[in-house]
Amino acid sequence: MGCLAVLEGQGHVTNPGQYIAELAAYFVSEGGQFIQANVLDIQKINGVVSHIDTDLGRFDCRKAVITAGIWSKDLMKMIDLNVPMEAERGYHVIFENPSELPRNPMLMTEGKFGVNPMEMGLRCAGTVEFGDHRSGPSVDPIAYIRKHSQRAFPSLQYSGTQEWMGSRPSTPDSLPLIGELGQSGIFTGFGHQHVGLTAGPKTGRLIAQLISDNSPNIDMSPYSPGRYAVGTTKPGS
Ligand SMILES: Cc1cc2nc3c(=O)[nH]c(=O)nc-3n(C[C@H](O)[C@H](O)[C@H](O)COP(=O)(O)OP(=O)(O)OC[C@H]3O[C@@H](n4cnc5c(N)ncnc54)[C@H](O)[C@@H]3O)c2cc1C
């Protein structure tokens, strides 16, 4: 017997890439400057950030915010953090020009995957695979999603498919690192595991408040990057 539970008041993004591009465009329209460069090193003078070295040259700064998802793992070595963060890799298959498209996102219990109506087609997504973020995708998770999508939509017709793998940046205590690392002027905003798209705006606001010396009205201590700082006393120790 089938069973359906409805969660009301949900929202979903039908084109995440465009969503982020439009946020960046808005930032620029408000006077911000967007520079796409590869960060090579983060330099400090007397323990305070002084400049960032990139493949486009050096950028002097008094504050820096690290929000590089799982790649923050690589940047951590430059900023005295030691988080055993791992990638929970997830996959999706998009069926282009599908003959059927649900009006709302659905979570399928059989196969445990999500079904989302997107601008680019029907997206079936899920799976959790611990793996190195620098390694290429595995074959089995995609085959798994395809198999269960076929079961859920046995008559589905489509013009083509797109496959994708992403890395959810996950910490041992499942909490992100949000805050200033000591008094270094370096702020962290990463480790949001399965909910980074949703939690990102709130994290952005919290970091903006911290940088502008407005205390957030929540207890920030559980998120402190200091709990993973190298060479300092960790909370509770
Ligand atoms: C299958 C799947 C489904 C998901 N579904 C959801 C969902 O429904 N809702 C939700 O909220 N979240 C979801 N997530 C999680 C979400 O995708 C992540 O939490 C989110 O992408 C993290 O955002 P971020 O900006 O911190 O990192 P990312 O999106 O990973 O961005 C990091 C950026 O840093 C850049 N970078 C890396 N190294 C450097 C460097 N040295 N110099 C400069 N730039 C660098 C990268 O190029 C990248 O652009 C899902 C993830 C997966 C895999």
Side-chain angles (χ1 to χ4, degrees):
M1 194 172 75
C3 175
L4 175 73
V6 177
L7 294 174
E8 292 185 350
Q10 300 291 307
H12 76 286
V13 176
T14 55
N15 188 335
Q18 189 184 347
Y19 167 63
I20 298 299
E22 287 184 10
L23 285 178
Y26 179 74
F27 171 70
V28 171
S29 75
E30 290 289 299
Q33 195 182 0
F34 177 76
I35 300 165
Q36 190 163 11
N38 192 17
V39 173
L40 305 174
D41 207 353
I42 299 165
Q43 301 285 354
K44 290 185 271 184
I45 295 177
N46 296 329
V48 178
V49 65
S50 56
H51 60 275
I52 310 289
D53 288 323
T54 78
D55 58 350
L56 291 185
R58 165 183 164 149
F59 294 89
D60 293 333
C61 61
R62 286 179 290 121
K63 312 274 184 196
V65 185
I66 297 179
T67 56
I70 193 64
W71 292 277
S72 306
K73 204 172 166 172
D74 307 326
L75 298 176
M76 279 192 288
K77 295 177 194 122
M78 310 167 192
I79 60 165
D80 306 324
L81 270 181
N82 184 22
V83 191
M85 189 163 71
E86 289 302 336
E88 286 188 64
R89 303 178 349 151
Y91 293 77
H92 79 215
V93 178
I94 290 178
F95 298 91
E96 296 167 326
N97 301 305
S99 54
E100 318 165 35
L101 196 62
R103 270 184 296 155
N104 297 300
M106 297 190 295
L107 283 171
M108 317 298 277
T109 48
E110 194 178 333
K112 300 205 168 12
F113 67 106
V115 172
N116 298 283
M118 307 292 284
E119 277 178 23
M120 51 297 271
L122 172 69
R123 192 179 76 180
C124 296
T127 70
V128 169
E129 174 197 47
F130 283 106
D132 193 291
H133 58 293
R134 287 158 299 209
S135 302
S138 307
V139 174
D140 288 352
I142 290 287
Y144 176 91
I145 291 173
R146 283 185 180 276
K147 182 175 107 184
H148 286 281
S149 307
Q150 168 72 26
R151 276 200 192 150
F153 300 96
S155 329
L156 186 71
Q157 309 276 320
Y158 48 92
S159 62
T161 58
Q162 298 170 27
E163 298 171 354
W164 175 81
M165 183 198 81
S167 289
R168 307 177 185 95
S170 297
T171 58
D173 59 10
S174 300
L175 291 176
L177 284 76
I178 310 170
E180 185 174 6
L181 187 59
Q183 285 162 347
S184 62
I186 300 172
F187 294 76
T188 58
F190 60 82
H192 295 79
Q193 33 108 0
H194 290 232
V195 293
L197 191 74
T198 313
K202 181 72 179 178
T203 293
R205 178 169 294 175
L206 290 168
I207 292 176
Q209 287 173 339
L210 291 169
I211 288 180
S212 50
D213 289 329
N214 292 319
S215 296
N217 64 354
I218 62 166
D219 176 12
M220 293 295 295
S221 58
Y223 310 106
S224 168
R227 71 194 192 275
Y228 291 112
V230 174
T232 59
T233 307
K234 317 243 181 339
S237 63

